[in-house]
Structure formats: C-alpha cells, structure tokens
C-alpha cells in the first residue's frame, strides 16, 4: 500500500516524466514480468490507487488488456498485513475503495466477481465485526482540544471546498459520500499534517469514519441487484434502496454472498 505521504506518487510521476523525456534509454512501462503481470496489475493488487491513476492518466497502461486480480492474488498482499493494527486495516480498506473509484472513473467496469473479491478483502481484514465505540467521532466533539483541531483540519488542500473535519463528523455517511470522493477521504486519511497529528484514539475513530463513508456507497451499489433478486423483484427499486440504506456493510455483504451461492448452485445444476 502507498505510504500516507505523497512520496510514492511523486516518485512514480517523476520516473515517468524522465522516461518520457529520454530519447535513448526509454523503458517499456507496460512490459510484463516473468509472471506476465504489468505494472498496472501489480499496482491494483497492492492497492495503490494513486500509482494506478498516474499510470492510466499518463497513458502508459492499457485498461483494454487489464485483467483484474483474483481473490488469491489479493490474499498474497493481505498476508503482509498480518499483525497490523486495526487502524492500518481501515486505511487499507479506504485504499481498496479508492482503487475501485479510480478504475471506474477511467473506464474500467467491475463485474460481480471483481466486486466480491474487493468485499472479501474487507471481510479478511475483520472490519465487518469491528466497531469503534470508545471514542466515536461524535463523542470526540465533546473534547475541546479535538474540536479545535477538527475545525482547523480542511477536507481538501485547495480552495474548492471549505468543509472541515469538524463538519464531516457531523454529516451522515451517505451525505458525506455524495459530497466527497473516495480519493478525498484517502488523501485525508494518509496526510501527515492532518489526521496523523491527532492522538491514537481520535485518529482511529476518524479513520473508521472515513472507511464507513467510502465503503457504504460501494456496498449499497453492489447489493441492489441481489436484494432485487432475493425479493423476486416484487419491490420497487426505491423501496429496495430504502432497505439497503438501513443495513450495515456486513448485512449487505451477506446478501451478496447469498446470491453468489445461489448462482453457483444454478451453475452446478446446469453442468450436471
């Protein structure tokens, strides 16, 4: 995963710029390694959304030939996170959500197997059952020092939005997801001069909130068709969306698993 500073992205951009300017020793950025993997696929597997964005935006990676990593490929990466703190697991999950957004904005369409692979990352990180109860972000607003820091912490570094961390905490996750992209949350989560200046417990609560904001939209969008299937399309889409709004990510994941299991059973019957 990319570090919470911007150094990895800056290095990737600088390398590509130098490579483009070189007339004699230009390196093939889309070259495959001995496993047949391209830099783009490696960056996706290692949940590096900014590196993916750099590769695609500079035109040195091709989505037309891109093959989304399997669950087993992600498992290899997740193995490096054993023993990591719950905070880093939240940041890893935010990275995964931002990665999905990054690919979709640049034209890649996830299929259901891709989405399920991403969901299983969050399951294996143990985030469905983990709840930040002490302190929650809302309760942190009773702390005068935290409130003061939160009011000074801007969601974005430019002048395009004046929302502060204090404002974000008071929003409903769905409203926050409408106003801010996953990349906005990702940049806030890893910025050294923002959340990382806070004490551990407040910082953990904030990372948990950013995870909730980025993941709710993902699960809601992928759970709609399964909910419609399980109800045999007897409910209007609006009613199904209202049901989804009231469910947490674990519930939505289980719904997706149920429909996936039914599909596998149908496929098995057809093959018999």
């Amino acid at each position: 995963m990319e570090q919470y500073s911007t150094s990895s992205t800056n290095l990737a951009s600088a390398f590509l710029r130098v490579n483009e300017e070189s007339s004699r020793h230009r390196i093939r950025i889309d070259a495959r390694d001995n496993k047949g993997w391209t830099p783009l696929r490696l960056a996706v597997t290692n949940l590096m959304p900014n590196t993916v964005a750099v590769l695609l935006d500079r035109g040195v990676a091709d989505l037309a030939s891109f093959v989304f990593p399997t669950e087993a490929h992600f498992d290899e990466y997740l193995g490096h996170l054993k023993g990591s703190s719950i905070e880093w697991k939240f940041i890893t999950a935010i990275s995964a959500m931002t990665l999905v957004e990054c690919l979709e904005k640049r034209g890649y369409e996830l299929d259901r197997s891709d989405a399920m692979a991403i969901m299983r990352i969050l399951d294996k990180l143990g985030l469905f059952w983990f709840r930040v109860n002490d302190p929650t972000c809302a309760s942190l607003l009773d702390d005068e020092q935290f409130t003061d820091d939160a009011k000074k912490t801007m969601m974005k570094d430019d002048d395009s939005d004046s929302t502060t961390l204090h404002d974000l905490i008071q929003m409903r996750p769905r409203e926050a997801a409408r106003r801010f992209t996953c990349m906005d949350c990702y940049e806030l989560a890893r910025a050294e001069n923002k959340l990382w200046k806070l004490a551990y417990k407040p910082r953990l609560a904030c990372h948990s909130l950013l995870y909730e904001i980025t993941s709710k939209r993902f699960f809601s969008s992928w759970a709609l068709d399964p909910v419609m299937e399980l109800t045999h399309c007897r409910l209007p889409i609006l009613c199904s969306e209202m049901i989804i709004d009231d469910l947490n990510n674990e519930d939505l994941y289980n719904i997706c698993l149920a429909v996936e299991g039914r599909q596998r059973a149908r496929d098995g019957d057809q093959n018999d």
Side-chain angles (χ1 to χ4, degrees):
M1 184 177 60
E2 292 163 322
Q3 298 299 311
Y4 51 78
S5 70
T6 58
S7 58
S8 58
T9 306
N10 291 339
L11 283 172
S13 298
F15 171 77
L16 291 175
R17 184 177 64 254
V18 170
N19 189 57
E20 289 168 359
E21 294 171 353
S22 174
S23 58
R24 296 183 57 190
H25 303 291
R26 184 171 296 180
I27 299 171
R28 278 191 57 201
I29 304 300
D30 62 342
R32 298 176 182 270
D33 63 12
N34 55 5
K35 294 182 179 179
W37 284 44
T38 62
L40 177 61
R41 197 177 189 199
L42 285 167
V44 170
T45 305
N46 288 281
L47 305 180
M48 303 172 71
N50 272 340
T51 301
V52 169
V54 169
L55 289 170
L56 292 174
D57 291 347
R58 285 190 169 269
V60 295
D62 183 15
L63 276 177
S65 59
F66 172 67
V67 179
F68 198 83
T70 65
E71 181 182 349
H73 294 141
F74 285 120
D75 283 346
E76 185 175 347
Y77 168 72
L78 292 176
H80 300 303
L81 293 178
K82 286 185 178 179
S84 296
S85 68
I86 189 65
E87 181 173 29
W88 276 108
K89 291 178 179 180
F90 277 128
I91 296 173
T92 299
I94 296 167
S95 299
M97 297 297 96
T98 308
L99 176 72
V100 169
E101 177 186 81
C102 177
L103 288 171
E104 290 180 334
K105 282 189 173 182
R106 288 159 179 82
Y108 182 77
E109 294 184 9
L110 272 74
D111 61 26
R112 185 154 295 278
S113 64
D114 298 338
M116 292 304 298
I118 294 293
M119 291 183 195
R120 286 189 169 92
I121 290 176
L122 307 186
D123 185 17
K124 290 169 183 176
L125 289 172
L127 298 183
F128 290 133
W129 55 265
F130 187 85
R131 301 288 184 271
V132 176
N133 295 319
D134 183 25
T136 62
C137 276
S139 67
L140 285 171
L141 295 180
D142 295 329
D143 184 297
E144 186 175 337
Q145 180 60 55
F146 175 80
T147 298
D148 185 54
D149 291 339
K151 287 180 177 179
K152 295 176 182 176
T153 302
M154 306 301 296
M155 271 295 296
K156 296 185 178 183
D157 291 328
D158 56 34
D159 297 327
S160 63
D161 193 286
S162 60
T163 305
T164 65
L165 176 61
H166 183 269
D167 300 327
L168 183 73
I169 290 170
Q170 298 179 86
M171 292 181 193
R172 291 177 60 87
R174 180 165 287 277
E175 178 191 356
R178 283 196 298 266
R179 289 189 56 180
F180 298 102
T181 65
C182 291
M183 183 60 78
D184 291 331
C185 295
Y186 175 69
E187 295 291 357
L188 177 62
R190 71 192 197 123
E192 291 178 287
N193 63 339
K194 294 186 178 181
L195 298 190
W196 289 94
K197 296 195 304 182
L198 302 174
Y200 173 71
K201 284 190 174 181
R203 195 174 68 234
L204 174 61
C206 290
H207 281 137
S208 171
L209 174 65
L210 293 176
Y211 160 69
E212 185 178 0
I213 291 169
T214 56
S215 60
K216 180 64 174 179
R217 177 169 46 192
F218 173 77
F219 278 95
S220 296
S221 63
W222 282 101
L224 180 58
D225 285 345
V227 167
M228 297 290 288
E229 179 175 337
L230 291 176
T231 58
H232 304 287
C233 297
R234 292 171 182 163
L235 296 176
I237 291 179
L238 182 59
C239 290
S240 297
E241 290 176 339
M242 291 173 64
I243 292 172
I244 288 171
D245 279 346
D246 288 335
L247 299 176
N248 60 35
N249 286 345
E250 184 177 14
D251 294 330
L252 299 176
Y253 175 55
N254 286 330
I255 288 171
C256 292
L257 284 177
V259 171
E260 181 186 52
R262 290 175 58 164
Q263 183 60 51
R264 286 179 176 174
R266 286 195 293 265
D267 293 343
D269 291 341
Q270 292 175 0
N271 293 331
D272 289 341

